[in-house]
Amino acid sequence: MTDRSSPRVALLGFSIECNKFAPPATKAHFLARTYLEGDAMVAEARSANPTMLPETPGFVAAMDASGPWTPVGIALAMTEPNGPVEHAFFVELLDTIRRRLEAAPPVDAVYICSHGAGLTTEEDDPDGALFEMVRQIVGAEMPIAATLDLHANVSERMVQSIDVFIGYRTNPHLDMRERGAEAAAAIREMLGGLKPQRASIRLPIVPPTVTMLTAVGPYADMIDFGQRRMTPEIMNVSVMGGFAFADTAKNGLTVVVTARHDRQAAERLAGEIAELGWANRERFYPRLTSLDQAVERALAVGRDPSLPALAFADVADNPGGGGRGNTTFLLRAFHEAGVAGAMLGVFFDPDLAAEAHRHGVGASFEARFNRSETTRFSEPYTAPATVLALTDGKCVGRRGIYAGLRLKLGPCAALHVGGVSVVVISHRVQCADPIFFEMMGLDIAQARAVVVKSRGHFRGGFDEFFGSDQIIEVDLPGLTSPMLNRFEWQHLPRPVIPLDDNVEWLRP
Ligand SMILES: [Zn+2]
């Protein structure tokens, strides 16, 4: 123990959500978004517009506000959801964290920023491997608090290697900063001598993404119930929906409860929440709109300005779940049906963006979408286009999960393709923030139909324009389709809802 009046807290993290069906993520993907070591990590967390998601900035701000402390930046690697991380880079990251933790003067506590649904090309539980390694380095008595995305797939070693397990409670994720602050409060409490106890229960339910909203639905009910059952003894209740496309043996909706002293109280509450989820299991089946119906709705709002405008979510091609952001099914269908007054974004195609930059604003040309092959869903499509606007893609997020974050989308182009204005980007990101249209000079309020390549986080950014009754989730092929029966699963625990019949579960 160092000087208690100014405790030293190590900060570290590994944060990526990995889709086993998507191409691998490399070190370059982390370097392009957030890869920081040492003091640079702390400085970035304190900057006005950091590149990292807000848990670590929230943690640092809450520690700053709650008394003296000394942050010890170790390392943070964070990037957009993708395929499994190249194992060599993950090993390198673990080595860096180990070396820096061992070389630093003794710390009093550790904060870990983790997504929880990471994969490597050789390891299905890298978050657990990280937690376990940190515990081995710092010893059994050292307070460790971790924040996790509610899409985390939870392993027993993740739960057992740390002291306080803090998952997001909102989807779209608008409480990241608060959860970081909660971790800071937990660290302060543990520095006072508290040694919390945890319990976790996993259900044989792998919820499709669209059934995991927290405003309404079976998942929202579990979270609400857990929060209403908080007592002074209960430190945190985390209901982790998980991320199906990781395809691991640890998949499954998992309730993790941290109690201040009483492990049985944690077990009891985890069991009650799990029972509620199980009782509602029939509600974890997705209901989507067919492409034909989506085209009809888009045509109708284009014809009749008295109808409210609509947002069409391309939930199966969500870069926020590892999708490539470049399937052409909706673009092609809207264009060929003659849909007018529509916008579509953000379409990931660096070749096309570069070509538009060569042609210049006002030029007309044959736009070839997906000239380079990426996945079997990313079909080529060619259509006449006019360049409306060009930018370098640097922006600060305005609303929703990216609010205040410094983002680089690379060279961007807005193209007019028939009645559809398409925003093309060069660094893959999900369309969660209206700024991605606005920075191209497009006025969302004037659009009759807006197609977003996003599963659900767009709801936190586009809520100014579209209420939940104006949102259509479209059923299309893609790497992030909520129709889980279309994938060839290798490792999911079976039988499981929603894939199998006769799934049974008894509260332990
Ligand atoms: Zn998430």
Side-chain angles (χ1 to χ4, degrees):
M1 177 66 66
T2 63
D3 177 10
R4 266 258 168 85
S5 65
S6 183
R8 298 169 51 83
V9 182
L11 311 176
L12 59 96
F14 169 68
S15 179
I16 179 172
E17 180 180 84
C18 296
N19 182 320
K20 203 167 263 176
F21 305 95
T26 65
K27 183 176 184 177
H29 289 106
F30 291 90
L31 291 173
R33 175 65 184 270
T34 302
Y35 183 85
L36 297 159
E37 293 182 13
D39 294 340
M41 180 184 170
V42 181
E44 180 71 14
R46 283 181 171 144
S47 75
N49 299 114
T51 60
M52 65 183 77
L53 291 171
E55 310 99 311
T56 307
F59 178 86
V60 169
M63 288 299 293
D64 287 344
S66 58
W69 72 304
T70 306
V72 181
I74 302 294
L76 172 66
M78 174 183 282
T79 192
E80 194 75 8
N82 208 329
V85 177
E86 283 183 353
H87 191 67
F89 169 65
F90 181 66
V91 171
E92 179 190 321
L93 176 68
L94 287 184
D95 287 347
T96 300
I97 290 172
R98 171 183 291 282
R99 179 170 45 79
R100 284 185 163 273
L101 255 183
E102 288 176 344
V107 297
D108 301 297
V110 180
Y111 165 64
I112 305 177
C113 170
S114 161
H115 181 288
L119 300 170
T120 81
T121 47
E122 295 175 26
E123 167 65 72
D124 274 4
D125 184 26
D127 298 273
L130 171 64
F131 292 11
E132 187 175 64
M133 182 193 80
V134 171
R135 175 57 80 197
Q136 282 167 355
I137 294 169
V138 300
E141 298 309 312
M142 177 80 61
I144 304 177
T147 54
L148 296 105
D149 190 301
L150 58 75
H151 293 108
N153 295 318
V154 182
S155 67
E156 191 60 18
R157 72 173 164 172
M158 283 162 69
V159 177
Q160 292 312 323
S161 299
I162 61 176
D163 294 295
V164 183
F165 185 111
I166 300 171
Y168 303 165
R169 297 205 289 268
T170 65
N171 185 23
H173 305 327
L174 301 176
D175 66 335
M176 294 183 268
R177 197 174 172 85
E178 287 93 326
R179 299 289 75 76
E182 184 180 342
I187 292 276
R188 290 278 186 204
E189 209 177 329
M190 289 189 285
L191 286 168
L194 184 76
K195 188 71 180 164
Q197 305 290 315
R198 293 154 315 289
S200 68
I201 296 183
R202 181 184 299 136
L203 285 167
I205 301 174
V206 172
T209 48
V210 294
T211 67
M212 259 192 281
L213 294 176
T214 54
V216 64
Y219 185 59
D221 291 349
M222 293 176 78
I223 291 176
D224 284 350
F225 179 78
Q227 291 308 303
R228 279 189 278 111
R229 295 296 306 274
M230 291 288 289
T231 63
E233 171 56 27
I234 301 298
M235 209 167 173
N236 177 276
V237 177
S238 294
V239 183
M240 312 305 278
F243 182 63
F245 310 112
D247 187 21
T248 70
K250 61 173 180 161
N251 273 82
L253 211 170
T254 301
V255 182
V256 187
V257 176
T258 305
R260 286 191 163 76
H261 314 277
D262 184 352
R263 189 186 149 81
Q264 287 183 340
E267 278 171 4
R268 257 193 322 275
L269 181 52
E272 288 172 25
I273 300 167
E275 275 195 338
L276 174 69
W278 184 248
N280 283 315
R281 59 193 177 278
E282 295 300 327
R283 295 166 67 200
F284 284 102
Y285 290 82
R287 288 190 191 83
L288 303 176
T289 299
S290 71
L291 180 58
D292 287 348
Q293 286 174 317
V295 170
E296 263 174 47
R297 300 284 303 270
L299 284 169
V301 296
R303 274 192 301 261
D304 183 352
S306 71
L307 293 172
L310 294 174
F312 294 86
D314 193 351
V315 293
D317 186 31
N318 170 28
R324 300 294 97 184
N326 64 5
T327 67
T328 55
F329 305 107
L330 267 165
L331 169 63
R332 180 176 204 147
F334 277 23
H335 180 224
E336 291 177 359
V339 169
M343 291 179 191
L344 184 149
V346 280
F347 194 101
F348 171 60
D349 194 330
D351 295 333
L352 183 56
E355 189 183 355
H357 275 253
R358 284 198 298 276
H359 288 302
V361 172
S364 294
F365 69 110
E366 284 289 301
R368 290 160 56 216
F369 293 87
N370 292 333
R371 70 194 71 181
S372 315
E373 191 185 332
T374 47
T375 76
R376 65 195 171 93
F377 300 115
S378 309
E379 293 179 353
Y381 181 57
T382 300
T386 304
V387 183
L388 292 174
L390 301 168
T391 73
D392 64 4
K394 288 183 184 150
C395 61
V396 173
R398 182 171 78 74
R399 193 173 175 81
I401 60 163
Y402 296 136
L405 265 66
R406 206 165 74 243
L407 298 163
K408 291 180 288 187
L409 276 59
C412 295
L415 304 179
H416 209 63
V417 179
V420 188
S421 301
V422 184
V423 176
V424 182
I425 62 171
S426 297
H427 293 169
R428 196 176 54 88
V429 67
Q430 68 174 307
C431 191
D433 196 313
I435 195 77
F436 301 158
F437 290 102
E438 292 160 353
M439 72 178 180
M440 308 307 297
L442 298 173
D443 183 356
I444 296 166
Q446 296 300 315
R448 301 301 298 142
V450 176
V451 177
V452 288
K453 290 206 174 271
S454 173
R455 182 272 314 158
H457 289 319
F458 70 95
R459 290 169 186 267
F462 289 77
D463 57 341
E464 294 176 320
F465 305 101
F466 303 101
S468 55
D469 54 345
Q470 289 167 273
I471 293 170
I472 314 277
E473 295 170 329
V474 189
D475 184 6
L476 292 166
L479 286 174
T480 60
S481 169
M483 310 309 278
L484 300 186
N485 55 356
R486 294 179 194 159
F487 294 78
E488 286 186 27
W489 304 101
Q490 303 282 331
H491 303 288
L492 286 192
R494 306 294 287 267
V496 73
I497 289 171
L499 293 170
D500 302 305
D501 297 327
N502 305 319
V503 185
E504 288 177 14
W505 177 76
L506 283 175
R507 180 172 165 179

